[in-house]
Amino acid sequence: MRRNYLESMKSDGLGEFLSACESLKNCKYVLAESKITALLKSIADNKQLYSMFASSLYGFDYNRTFSACVNNGSFVLPADPKKAVALVFRILLDIDSGKIELRNFLEAYFYSPMINESYARFCLEIITPFRMYCCNLFSNPESFNEIPLNIGAEGAYEQVSGKLRSDVKADALDCIAALEDVADSTITVAIELAEFSACLNGLTRAIESNDNQSIISAFLGVKYAIAYFFKSTQTVAEIYKKLEYDVKQLTK
């Protein structure tokens, strides 16, 4: 299946990716998240770009690199182009998945009284160099073919995919734990709390079993339980949104 997917990818250069970068840089904050989604899709659909990002992510320590880039309330990309490419790619993935709130990220590291000004700084300091580094790496294929020979290209895709899946799985379990905490403090009828907890436990077991059909079935139970017990509670709605995204990623 993975090989069929790779063979179906485009191999027509950087055109779609560069257009997506420009659209992201030139839009207003309110459209940024949809533009980020389009940018990530342009990467996923291109065989050469996918290979480049797979190589950049191989052995990359996201959390350590992110922390090293934070300095006195500012955010500065690594000097190493491969690390910078890998870091920005992961940040964009986290924004797209909801793990990072774009507004919070902008206010933390690119603050300006006007959100569009913060976003403009983000594009200038993050997206513009990201685009340039990607162009440079893409024009020198040997620089992103440094995957250990005993793994092979397809093995690298699997390792990167496996790491991303592991992150999504951990995030889904965190969401379930957050829902459990909310339920403990808001559902006062013992039998109802037990019923809701049973739904969450079923989803936890399904996720840990890596059985897609079980995950889908258990998630539907949680979905209806949330609708019944919490209706339009904002906090729960935000957790549910993240959990729904994670489940979709896990069951692709």
Side-chain angles (χ1 to χ4, degrees), residues 12 28 32 36 57 64 97 120 124 160 162 168 187 193 235 252:
D12 55 356
K28 298 295 185 182
I36 287 172
L57 287 165
R64 179 179 295 179
S97 71
L124 179 64
V160 171
V168 172
I187 300 178
L193 178 59
T235 300
K252 277 184 175 179

Side-chain angles (χ1 to χ4, degrees), residues 188-200:
T188 56
V189 180
I191 192 168
E192 292 183 346
L193 178 59
E195 181 183 350
F196 187 71
S197 294
C199 290
L200 294 179

Side-chain angles (χ1 to χ4, degrees), residues 11-21 42-43 46 48-49 52-53 131-139:
S11 56
D12 55 356
L14 282 173
E16 187 175 339
F17 170 75
L18 294 179
S19 295
C21 284
S42 74
I43 294 169
N46 187 293
Q48 292 166 292
L49 275 172
M52 183 181 80
F53 281 98
R131 179 187 184 280
M132 179 185 70
Y133 291 148
C134 286
C135 285
N136 291 342
L137 288 175
F138 191 85
S139 64

Side-chain angles (χ1 to χ4, degrees), residues 115-156:
I115 191 63
N116 279 319
E117 292 178 4
S118 297
Y119 179 67
R121 278 193 57 202
F122 165 74
C123 289
L124 179 64
E125 298 175 29
I126 302 297
I127 302 303
T128 295
F130 171 70
R131 179 187 184 280
M132 179 185 70
Y133 291 148
C134 286
C135 285
N136 291 342
L137 288 175
F138 191 85
S139 64
N140 295 283
E142 65 277 3
S143 66
F144 62 85
N145 273 335
E146 299 167 2
I147 299 170
L149 295 177
N150 63 327
I151 294 177
E154 190 163 329

Side-chain angles (χ1 to χ4, degrees), residues 98-112:
K99 289 180 72 174
I100 291 178
E101 291 290 338
L102 178 58
R103 177 180 283 272
N104 292 345
F105 185 74
L106 295 178
E107 290 180 348
Y109 305 117
F110 303 92
Y111 179 75
S112 176

Side-chain angles (χ1 to χ4, degrees), residues 21-80:
C21 284
E22 289 304 307
S23 293
L24 180 60
K25 287 167 54 182
N26 295 329
C27 75
K28 298 295 185 182
Y29 164 77
V30 69
L31 297 176
E33 291 186 359
S34 65
K35 299 298 184 181
I36 287 172
T37 299
L39 176 57
L40 293 174
K41 185 178 185 302
S42 74
I43 294 169
D45 287 346
N46 187 293
K47 187 184 298 184
Q48 292 166 292
L49 275 172
Y50 191 86
S51 177
M52 183 181 80
F53 281 98
S55 175
S56 297
L57 287 165
Y58 182 77
F60 175 67
D61 190 327
Y62 176 44
N63 292 327
R64 179 179 295 179
T65 305
F66 189 106
S67 297
C69 291
V70 177
N71 184 22
N72 295 324
S74 63
F75 194 88
V76 180
L77 289 179
D80 181 346

